[in-house]
């Protein structure tokens, strides 16, 4: 009898940025009712779970990552009843729902921080990280905010500094305080009881800071063109050894409920990332692996990354891969339109759970944002480094109508210039579109256990072509990906490519057998069923 695997092992995750997915009430901002309207599209696409960026009550200084009420829905998105309707609709379509959990910091308007700030004697003072200044009266340490400047803000009312890893309006919680841990655990239970299938934990590697408050060392590789936060190595402000006990506690909350998943946002190299699976795999089910986003787009570099990641995984740990998200440049703009098709095949044929970012399935590009249109506080605080996130958060392009079917009003961020031609409706009718390629790849992944749960076996790197095999119960599929821009002829016998082509990213390739030689066009990928 075949062992049943968890849904998140064989499934495909789909990230929705709620502000930009579908507006239902004409205010130019997406909402929960809009997401419900588009669930049939996600079901047709073939994904298994919908992950929502934050929808909780917030002043929106950082667009929802500054939470003022962990158990309230922001009116911009709807009400708690709308959320319950969303859960029912998601499950009714056979999908799962994953929420963002933002436990590292709150909004400065959260009642917990309001109390903490009120006096040094308040019972919630220790719920946040307060320190006296250094001997010279300056900040307690040299720690930097990821959003620019010192990570310490002086509070005139109480005469101490509080720590904020991001905006000053986002004070960090003190995860060394057991009351904080219990409070967040109760937040998790609140949503899990309402039917949520999992959490993606924001900045998981930030949760614990050094208890001795030592200064971070200089980064010896820092160069002037890099953003200021990178001047220091965040040795004492992130990825502390004690964080793994915190992650294990989060996992214990999840394990009290059936069939739930815990995902961690962690920007670390693979050898450090895998520690977040926890001792005996009692940590995060899926510590997000973002390495593909920053790895050079070449066969050799990606083969090296895959090998290093696979080798670093603890026994029994399940891998995962991400090509895009709400914080990084769109994949279509990073690698180009042709290579974006190859990227789709790479993401959906590697071993591990893939996460797809909304709009990538239609090749949505990074949208240029004029200075007067900038909304992102990161870009406003640290201008000139090309790190603004607005361009990857623009509205989904549904059709060629006014505002691309996203809203009846002017959207909160601009659409691309090509929205009338490049959208879900037009690509659905074009069998050669990237959208239909994604649909076919996801369907193939679902139909073939070699791709969904099979083993990964490297085969060859030939020039800029990566060849690997996925195998399950004696059945095999071979994937060959040309990361170059020119055609390449491979000796089929040399790389074991004799067989029948199952799928190509190039739609005018005639299906058929491969024997003796395989010619791959620039940017082409194929999936091949080898001969016995």
């Amino acid at each position: 009898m075949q062992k049943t695997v968890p849904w998140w092992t064989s499934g495909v995750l789909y990230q929705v940025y709620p502000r930009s997915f579908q507006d239902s009430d004409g205010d130019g901002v997406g909402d929960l009712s809009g997401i419900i309207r588009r669930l049939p599209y996600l079901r047709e696409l073939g994904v298994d779970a919908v992950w929502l960026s934050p929808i909780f009550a917030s002043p929106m200084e950082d667009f929802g990552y500054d939470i003022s009420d962990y158990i309230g829905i922001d009116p911009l998105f709807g009400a708690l009843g709308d959320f319950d309707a969303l859960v029912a609709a998601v499950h009714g379509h056979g999908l799962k729902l994953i929420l963002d959990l933002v436990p590292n910091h709150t909004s400065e308007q959260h009642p917990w921080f309001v109390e903490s700030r009120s006096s040094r004697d308040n019972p919630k003072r220790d719920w946040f990280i307060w320190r006296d200044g250094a001997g010279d009266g300056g900040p307690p340490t040299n720690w930097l905010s990821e959003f620019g400047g010192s990570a310490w803000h002086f509070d005139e009312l109480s005469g101490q500094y509080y720590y904020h890893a991001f905006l000053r309006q986002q004070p960090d919680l003190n995860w060394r305080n057991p009351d904080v841990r219990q409070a967040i655990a109760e937040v998790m239970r609140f949503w899990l009881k309402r039917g949520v299938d999992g959490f993606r934990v924001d900045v998981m590697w930030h949760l614990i800071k050094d208890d001795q408050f030592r200064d971070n060392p200089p980064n010896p590789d820092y160069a002037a063109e890099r953003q200021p936060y990178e001047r220091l190595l965040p040795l004492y402000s992130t990825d502390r050894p004690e964080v793994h006990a915190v992650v294990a506690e989060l996992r214990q909350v999840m394990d009290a409920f059936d069939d739930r998943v815990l995902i961690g946002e962690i920007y670390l190299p693979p050898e450090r990332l895998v520690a977040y699976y926890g001792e005996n795999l009692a940590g995060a089910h899926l510590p997000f692996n973002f390495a593909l986003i920053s790895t050079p787009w070449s066969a050799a570099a990606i083969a090296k990354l895959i090998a290093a990641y696979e080798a670093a995984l603890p026994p029994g740990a399940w891998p995962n891969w991400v090509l895009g998200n709400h914080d990084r440049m769109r994949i279509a703009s990073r690698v180009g339109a042709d290579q974006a098709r190859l990227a789709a095949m790479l993401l959906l044929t590697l071993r591990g759970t893939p996460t797809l970012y909304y709009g990538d399935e239609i090749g949505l590009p990074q949208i240029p944002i004029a200075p007067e249109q900038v909304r992102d506080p990161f870009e406003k605080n640290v201008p000139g480094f090309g790190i603004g996130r607005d361009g990857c958060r623009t509205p989904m392009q549904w059709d060629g109508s006014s505002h691309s079917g996203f809203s009846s009003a002017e959207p909160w961020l601009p659409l691309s210039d090509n929205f009338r031609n490049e959208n879900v409706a037009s690509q659905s009718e074009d069998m050669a579109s990237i959208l239909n390629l994604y649909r076919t790849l996801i369907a193939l992944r679902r139909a073939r256990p070699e791709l969904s749960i099979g083993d990964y076996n490297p085969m060859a790197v030939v020039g800029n072509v990566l060849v690997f095999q996925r195998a399950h119960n004696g059945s095999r599929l071979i994937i060959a990906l040309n990361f170059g821009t020119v055609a390449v002829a491979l000796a089929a016998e040399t790389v074991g490519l004799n067989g029948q082509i199952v799928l190509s990213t190039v739609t005018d390739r005639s299906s058929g057998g491969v024997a003796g030689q395989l010619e791959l066009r620039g940017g082409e990928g194929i999936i091949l069923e080898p001969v016995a």
Side-chain angles (χ1 to χ4, degrees), residues 177-345:
N177 185 324
D179 292 337
V180 168
R181 299 189 187 198
Q182 181 59 34
I184 295 297
E186 286 303 315
V187 168
M188 296 170 70
R189 294 185 187 104
F190 176 86
W191 295 110
L192 291 166
K193 289 174 182 176
R194 297 192 93 89
V196 168
D197 299 291
F199 294 105
R200 171 266 194 190
V201 179
D202 188 59
V203 297
M204 182 180 275
W205 82 111
H206 273 265
L207 290 179
I208 289 283
K209 290 76 175 172
D210 181 45
D211 59 356
Q212 299 178 52
F213 293 93
R214 288 168 283 189
D215 279 350
N216 282 325
N219 181 357
D221 298 323
Y222 179 72
E225 64 271 12
R226 297 171 68 175
Q227 61 168 300
Y229 176 74
E230 297 179 12
R231 286 194 297 108
L232 303 177
L233 296 175
L235 178 65
Y236 296 113
S237 51
T238 66
D239 194 31
R240 301 303 301 156
E242 304 96 315
V243 75
H244 301 295
V246 171
V247 177
E249 288 185 17
L250 299 176
R251 173 65 178 274
Q252 288 171 12
V253 176
M254 305 296 291
D255 285 348
F257 296 80
D258 292 335
D259 210 22
R260 313 299 168 99
V261 65
L262 183 67
I263 303 168
E265 183 197 28
I266 305 157
Y267 280 96
L268 292 174
E271 65 274 13
R272 291 166 62 192
L273 169 72
V274 296
Y276 287 78
Y277 283 102
E279 188 175 352
N280 299 319
L281 303 184
H285 294 102
L286 298 174
F288 260 156
N289 170 20
F290 299 115
L292 278 178
I293 293 177
S294 56
T295 297
W297 197 249
S298 72
I302 290 175
K304 183 179 179 181
L305 165 64
I306 298 168
Y309 180 51
E310 287 276 354
L313 287 168
W318 186 247
N320 71 94
W321 297 94
V322 180
L323 269 177
N325 63 23
H326 62 290
D327 289 331
R328 295 294 185 265
M329 179 182 287
R330 288 274 184 184
I331 181 65
S333 294
R334 294 204 310 268
V335 302
D338 290 341
Q339 291 284 331
R341 298 176 68 90
L342 189 82
M345 184 170 282

Side-chain angles (χ1 to χ4, degrees), residues 329-509:
M329 179 182 287
R330 288 274 184 184
I331 181 65
S333 294
R334 294 204 310 268
V335 302
D338 290 341
Q339 291 284 331
R341 298 176 68 90
L342 189 82
M345 184 170 282
L346 173 68
L347 178 68
L348 291 163
T349 58
L350 284 172
R351 186 176 86 99
T353 302
T355 297
L356 174 61
Y357 184 49
Y358 86 97
D360 281 352
E361 75 272 24
I362 60 170
L364 194 63
Q366 187 84 358
I367 310 302
I369 306 296
E372 66 274 12
Q373 295 174 310
V374 170
R375 307 290 297 273
D376 183 11
F378 195 8
E379 174 69 11
K380 289 180 178 180
N381 286 9
V382 192
F385 289 89
I387 53 180
R389 302 167 298 176
D390 290 332
C392 66
R393 298 176 173 185
T394 57
M396 184 65 168
Q397 298 177 183
W398 294 107
D399 57 42
S401 67
S402 178
H403 309 313
S404 202
F406 165 72
S407 177
S408 60
E410 188 72 22
W412 75 289
L413 282 174
L415 297 157
S416 72
D417 292 337
N418 70 350
F419 79 87
R420 295 194 183 276
N421 298 317
E422 295 298 332
N423 53 64
V424 169
S426 63
Q427 290 197 18
S428 292
E429 296 175 358
D430 178 7
M431 295 311 297
S433 70
I434 189 171
L435 173 58
N436 279 313
L437 174 62
Y438 266 100
R439 286 171 172 164
T440 301
L441 280 164
I442 293 171
L444 185 62
R445 181 183 178 88
R446 185 183 299 276
R448 299 296 297 257
E450 301 97 317
L451 296 178
S452 59
I453 58 174
D455 296 332
Y456 168 85
N457 299 308
M459 294 183 68
V461 174
V462 182
N464 215 2
V465 177
L466 171 64
V467 186
F468 59 89
Q469 177 182 265
R470 299 296 308 283
H472 181 72
N473 284 349
S475 181
R476 300 179 297 138
L477 290 173
I478 294 174
I479 295 89
L481 306 170
N482 183 4
F483 289 85
T485 58
V486 298
V488 175
L490 300 177
E493 289 186 0
T494 302
V495 290
L497 283 176
N498 287 306
Q500 189 78 20
I501 293 176
V502 177
L503 180 65
S504 169
T505 59
V506 176
T507 54
D508 63 354
R509 175 188 279 278

